[in-house]
């Protein structure tokens, strides 16, 4: 029986590459998305992967959405918490709304999703949770107090849940992508982006597939003894 993988923010950017890679690796995949119906419909047409719309920032919506995925595909064995947004601003200009939106999606979203699959994973004595954090959760980034805080929080929940899940056969790991060539990074003003690329020893942006391959490994049986860890995939831009 194929395992079931649920990828949040799974129809665009890094999430789309993760959905596709897991599907190719033999998983039944559900790709969650929050807003872009057009992109999701195109993704579904091109890949045949089922798409489900809800906001990870909404606990009840996560509960209902996961119930629908499980009714359609079966219990979720692999959860990839990838959904994330930016609301970049220097701190002196950041609004409480910009702070809240990013924390609600990028950090509370991980709670909302994981809390709703955790009991099932414990009962079945198997689970894989992969949290997509960020280089900016490790090193901090000017203009991203909200995002850096949320992504650092994702590393904290990863380590706490790794300890709680280990005896129940659940691994919880994080990946910290560096700057990857997605819409999110391309939205950074070109002059700022060029300065960032100049700081990457590899001399280029990463590719979404380079993150997706890390996820496939962490989801596999081969990675069963790896939990609470962080894979940094950033072209040498930052070492922990
Ligand atoms: N460190 C310290 N100060 C900085 C700075 C830095 N890196 N960058 C800018 N500043 C200062 C400027 O010198 C300026 O100071 P003064 O007002 O005293 O002159 C002040 O901050 C304002 O700078 P800007 O004029 O550039 O401000 P802005 O409002 O036009 O833009 C910004 C601010 C939106 C945050 C813009 O700088 C920006 O987009 N930065 C990029 C942030 C970033 O890296 N985002 C990553 C997005 S991709 C992602 O998040 C994916 C992932 O996981 C990696």
């Amino acid at each position: 029986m194929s395992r079931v993988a649920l990828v949040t923010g799974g129809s665009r950017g890094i999430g789309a590459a993760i959905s596709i890679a897991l599907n190719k690796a033999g998983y039944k995949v559900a790709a969650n998305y929050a807003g872009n119906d057009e992109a999701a419909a195109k993704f579904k047409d091109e890949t045949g992967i089922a798409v489900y719309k809800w906001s990870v920032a909404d606990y009840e919506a996560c509960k209902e959405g996961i119930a629908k995925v499980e009714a359609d595909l079966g219990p979720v064995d692999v959860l990839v918490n990838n959904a994330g947004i930016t609301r970049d601003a220097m701190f002196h200009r950041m609004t409480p709304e910009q702070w809240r939106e990013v924390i609600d999606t990028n950090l509370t979203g991980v709670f909302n999703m994981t809390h709703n699959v955790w009991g099932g994973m414990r009962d079945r004595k198997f689970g894989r949770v992969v949290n997509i954090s960020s280089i900016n959760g490790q090193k901090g980034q000017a203009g991203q107090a909200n995002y850096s805080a949320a992504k650092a929080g994702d590393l904290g929940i990863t380590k706490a849940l790794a300890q709680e899940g280990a005896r129940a056969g659940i691994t919880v790991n994080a990946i910290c992508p560096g700057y990857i060539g997605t819409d999110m990074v391309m939205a950074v003003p070109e002059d700022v982006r060029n300065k960032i690329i100049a700081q990457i020893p590899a001399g280029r942006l990463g590719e979404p597939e380079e993150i997706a391959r890390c996820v496939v490994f962490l989801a596999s049986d081969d990675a069963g003894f790896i939990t609470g860890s962080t894979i940094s995939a950033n072209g040498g831009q930052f070492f922990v």
Side-chain angles (χ1 to χ4, degrees):
M1 267 280 282
S2 331
R3 286 184 176 145
V4 173
L6 170 55
V7 183
T8 67
S11 65
R12 292 200 299 134
I14 292 174
I18 294 170
S19 298
I20 291 166
L22 286 169
N23 196 35
K24 281 200 181 130
Y27 294 83
K28 284 191 271 179
V29 177
N32 149 271
Y33 73 102
N36 193 330
D37 293 317
E38 202 182 317
K42 187 163 176 278
F43 173 82
K44 187 180 174 195
D45 284 351
E46 286 173 2
T47 63
I49 293 171
V51 294
Y52 295 84
K53 183 177 182 177
W54 75 84
S55 166
V56 299
D58 178 338
Y59 186 87
E60 287 306 317
C62 291
K63 193 174 186 174
E64 283 166 27
I66 289 167
K68 175 137 190 22
V69 168
E70 295 200 325
D72 291 351
L73 303 182
V76 173
D77 302 296
V78 177
L79 170 65
V80 184
N81 286 308
N82 165 78
I85 59 169
T86 53
R87 296 288 182 267
D88 292 359
M90 298 306 283
F91 191 60
H92 58 283
R93 292 206 193 102
M94 186 173 284
T95 64
E97 192 184 10
Q98 287 174 317
W99 172 266
R100 265 196 304 271
E101 280 180 2
V102 170
I103 298 294
D104 286 355
T105 297
N106 299 11
L107 178 57
T108 308
V110 173
F111 169 81
N112 293 342
M113 289 298 300
T114 310
H115 200 243
N116 279 299
V117 297
W118 194 251
M121 288 180 173
R122 279 167 52 87
D123 291 346
R124 294 187 300 277
K125 297 269 175 276
F126 180 86
R128 294 280 188 265
V129 178
V130 182
N131 295 326
I132 307 300
S133 176
S134 165
I135 185 175
N136 292 344
Q138 296 174 301
K139 74 171 185 60
Q141 171 62 46
Q144 286 200 306
N146 48 5
Y147 187 91
S148 301
K151 293 295 187 176
D154 291 336
L155 297 179
I157 190 175
T158 297
K159 291 171 195 171
L161 292 186
Q163 294 174 46
E164 292 193 21
R167 296 261 167 105
I170 306 170
T171 69
V172 187
N173 291 287
I175 299 171
C176 284
Y179 283 77
I180 310 298
T182 60
D183 291 348
M184 186 184 273
V185 169
M186 295 328 252
V188 173
E190 197 180 356
D191 55 326
V192 179
R193 198 170 62 239
N194 287 338
K195 282 187 204 146
I196 291 167
I197 295 171
Q199 293 162 16
I200 305 174
R204 64 172 176 87
L205 296 174
E207 291 168 9
E209 292 73 19
E210 293 179 303
I211 305 306
R213 288 194 286 273
C214 300
V215 175
V216 172
F217 171 63
L218 289 174
S220 71
D221 286 338
D222 288 343
F225 200 54
I226 301 175
T227 195
S229 77
T230 300
I231 297 180
S232 299
N234 60 35
Q237 191 182 349
F238 185 73
F239 304 125
V240 252

